[in-house]
Amino acid sequence: NIHPHGENMPKIIFKPNGEVIAAWASGNPNPKNPYSDVVYYSQSLDNGATWGHPEKLVKDTAGYDQRYFDMALLPDGNVAISWLDNRKKTTGEGSALYFAETNGYSGFENERLVSEPCCPCCRTDLFADSKKNIHILYRAIINDSIRDMVHTVSADNGKTFSTPERISKDNWAINGCPHTGPAMTENKNGIQFTWFTGGGDGGVYYCNSINDGKTFSQREKVSGIAARHCQITSIADKDIAIVWNENFSKGDISSSRIGIEIRNADGNNPIKKYITSEVGEATFPVIKNIDKNSVLVAYTESVRDKDYIKYKVISL
């Protein structure tokens, strides 16, 4: 009953003690929400040779919907997880943002509510930086109608989080679900962000913070309103690479292609190109740094009504 979605894919993470954790969403439709999921995870204590019985991330019976999760390896060797959850305290629309972590081999525990309300269908992004801070980036619901990207950070290993702050005041008022979450990475100049918004001149944007989220640079456009589903990585602690998928039309044919943009360590001098065909349906890219000269980009491509996972190694 795995329920994969481009914004909510299964994930796997490796701990230095030899434990491997796999997590995934399973469909959990119910009268309160026909689109609900529950998150399960399984642990391997022998580098993936054998696996334990799947466990529910949330044991509380009041929790019937957990989606759009992310995992990150913490500096102490444990794993943290963030997700969107139905158990909010406010009465309006949206979900609540939750956080939990492992303690040795015990699995995820000590869950706590971080913030609310959140857009219920955009992925969260969880990141542990070189200073041992834990960052969470997500799309919040502000003043009942604005759905902008918000950042919060913990300096005490997730015990408490800072007051959430918008990374950009896009003021995107929308009564709907964009299904496109944010992403962040780190280089020598601080935390780097990318996201999609329909606020103002809509599209995929970039900004950064040199002081752990106290302030943010002005947003800079990466690509226009047809772009979605952006991801970001840093290259050798310096340059920044952003990928996204972008819809376009050629004659009577509508297609989607993958774009990539490289920026220098300061976030300037962008160089942009497209790495898939103008005739195709390539979506939901992810990007990982391989070395100082190359990145790997994986994505989904539909070919004659069948979906394939493809990848390219991009030389820089």
Side-chain angles (χ1 to χ4, degrees), residues 72-76 78-83 97-102 109-115 126-129 131-136 152-162:
L73 184 66
L74 300 179
D76 64 1
N78 282 302
V79 170
I81 187 169
S82 62
W83 72 95
L97 175 69
Y98 272 73
F99 174 90
E101 70 266 291
T102 62
E109 58 184 28
N110 194 26
E111 67 179 30
R112 50 238 189 237
L113 188 152
V114 175
S115 184
L126 181 64
F127 183 77
D129 71 18
K131 300 176 185 177
K132 300 184 179 182
N133 297 318
I134 302 171
H135 303 258
I136 307 179
T152 183
V153 60
S154 173
D156 56 10
N157 210 44
K159 294 181 178 65
T160 61
F161 283 86
S162 65

Side-chain angles (χ1 to χ4, degrees), residues 204-274:
V204 167
Y205 281 85
Y206 158 83
C207 77
N208 63 53
S209 176
I210 61 174
N211 51 18
D212 300 323
K214 295 181 178 65
T215 60
F216 303 91
S217 66
Q218 290 294 312
R219 70 178 192 174
E220 297 183 19
K221 179 176 281 190
V222 174
S223 199
I225 191 67
R228 296 287 192 282
H229 308 126
C230 46
Q231 299 272 6
I232 191 171
T233 192
S234 58
I235 304 161
D237 197 33
K238 295 179 182 178
D239 292 351
I240 304 152
I242 299 170
V243 291
W244 66 95
N245 63 254
E246 184 169 320
N247 297 329
F248 70 102
S249 297
K250 192 171 184 179
D252 296 330
I253 300 175
S254 296
S255 301
S256 178
R257 57 185 172 178
I258 306 298
I260 186 169
E261 182 179 86
I262 311 298
R263 291 173 176 257
N264 66 19
D266 296 319
N268 300 322
N269 302 325
I271 299 172
K272 181 167 72 173
K273 69 174 184 176
Y274 295 93

